[in-house]
Amino acid sequence: MGRIIDYAKLVRPYGLLFLGLTPFFGAICNGEKDSLSLFFLVITGVLIHVFTFVQNDYLDIEIDRKSSYVVDRPLVTGHINKKTALYIVILSFLLPVFITVFFLLTIQSLFMLLASFLLITLYNIYSKRVFGMEYILAIGVFTTGLFGAFSVSNEISGLAIIVSLVNMMQWVFSVGIFANLKDVKYDTKLGVKTTPTILGVKIVGEDFSIPFLFIGYAFFIKTLHILIAFLPFLLRYTEIFVFDLPIPFLSFILLSTVILYLLAKIFYTPLSKRDRMLVYEGLQEGLSLLLIPVALMSYLFDNMGLVPTLLIIIVIIIWPLSSLRVVFGKKLIPLE
């Protein structure tokens, strides 16, 4: 059982829906209705997630050794050796290419898939050396959404582009702002230039000193993320009503309000309570993942049906919490 938990810690199952569903939503919003094709796209998205995080850990082993926050990661402890991790990275690259060539192929979809792998790899190599690499990773996520859309047709709908942009903005925030914020203590010691350190975040004593410039930037990125997610309503790709009730609209407003509240809570949480900060961030990320299915609720009802749509929403809610419980027990705090 311990061995399985080590592999689970390596591949981060609690976060796999962020990339796992990106090609799926890209395809749905470009008109895909075939269940088998959608299944292959989810599998491909999950494999891209595995590639991203295992490659990141593989390349950052020596850096992770110097951080008490992640010193228990399986590659750092040696519970999983580097050669095994490299095999996982190679396999999680080859399988999506195989699936694309034999089941989903258009030339554009294959190009977007390969572009996504390239951009993700560039991020993983240079994220600790070059400022602003979260945007390269985010563009990689954007191309993953386009990969899903192009697997359906060589013509891409405006809705597929919007949904891919929403996923892109989520990664700009989660990586560039929060992931780098929580690591400021060790990034500063190692001389790593990240968005928080460039915008003036530093450690004073045992706590953060966070300037208004960085807080303003964080709220700008998250607000832009929410506004892009709201575009399907504004552009009439989807409706604010289902069953003659404004359920999608009210749910979207409630989600957005709670997300911004949790963002404020993150900034008012001292570094000494980093675990609590991770909880706020996890909740914020999970709710942000719901923005797309809530904004697309009427569209998904029309194209997939009521039950599949509700299942998607339920899975998005239950999967992260249940997988965290399995991997980390009652603590529910990942090695991040």
Side-chain angles (χ1 to χ4, degrees), residues 33-54:
K33 295 182 180 180
D34 180 69
S35 298
L36 184 60
S37 294
L38 291 171
F39 170 76
F40 281 130
L41 286 165
V42 172
I43 296 300
T44 301
V46 168
L47 289 168
I48 295 171
H49 164 90
V50 172
F51 174 90
T52 301
F53 285 94
V54 178

Side-chain angles (χ1 to χ4, degrees), residues 72-282:
D72 290 331
R73 282 181 176 173
L75 291 183
V76 177
T77 60
H79 292 167
I80 298 175
N81 63 55
K82 287 185 66 175
K83 184 179 290 187
T84 300
L86 182 58
Y87 288 151
I88 293 173
V89 171
I90 294 171
L91 190 62
S92 59
F93 168 75
L94 293 177
L95 283 176
V97 172
F98 175 85
I99 291 171
T100 301
V101 169
F102 286 95
F103 299 102
L104 304 169
L105 182 64
T106 66
I107 296 302
Q108 291 89 338
S109 65
L110 181 60
F111 175 80
M112 287 297 166
L113 178 66
L114 295 176
S116 180
F117 279 122
L118 174 61
L119 291 165
I120 289 167
T121 300
L122 288 174
Y123 168 80
N124 283 335
I125 292 172
Y126 294 108
S127 63
K128 299 298 185 182
R129 308 179 200 175
V130 180
F131 164 67
M133 286 302 294
E134 65 266 23
Y135 285 93
I136 298 299
L137 176 62
I139 295 170
V141 174
F142 177 71
T143 60
T144 302
L146 296 188
F147 154 71
F150 274 126
S151 72
V152 182
S153 169
N154 293 336
E155 300 292 328
I156 296 186
S157 70
L159 184 57
I161 292 173
I162 290 170
V163 167
S164 299
L165 285 171
V166 174
N167 283 304
M168 182 184 82
M169 292 305 301
Q170 177 139 351
W171 284 75
V172 170
F173 178 88
S174 63
V175 174
I177 294 171
F178 179 73
N180 288 332
L181 176 65
K182 66 181 176 55
D183 291 337
V184 162
K185 180 177 179 180
Y186 288 96
D187 285 345
T188 302
K189 289 181 179 179
L190 296 171
V192 176
K193 300 298 183 184
T194 62
T195 298
T197 60
I198 292 293
L199 294 182
V201 179
K202 56 186 177 181
I203 301 297
V204 177
E206 295 298 321
D207 206 353
F208 288 119
S209 172
I210 305 178
F212 178 77
L213 179 62
F214 180 72
I215 295 175
Y217 172 75
F219 273 95
F220 170 76
I221 292 297
K222 181 51 67 175
T223 302
L224 183 60
H225 176 201
I226 292 170
L227 289 176
I228 294 173
F230 193 73
L231 285 178
F233 293 125
L234 291 179
L235 300 178
R236 301 302 300 273
Y237 286 113
T238 186
E239 300 298 328
I240 64 172
F241 292 95
V242 293
F243 309 123
D244 295 323
L245 297 171
I247 296 173
F249 178 76
L250 293 178
S251 299
F252 190 96
I253 296 301
L254 178 61
L255 277 174
S256 302
T257 302
V258 176
I259 287 167
L260 293 174
Y261 169 77
L262 289 169
L263 179 52
K265 293 287 287 185
I266 290 170
F267 289 125
Y268 284 100
T269 302
L271 186 57
S272 60
K273 297 181 178 178
R274 187 175 183 272
D275 282 1
R276 184 182 298 176
M277 182 188 296
L278 286 171
V279 171
Y280 291 145
E281 171 56 17

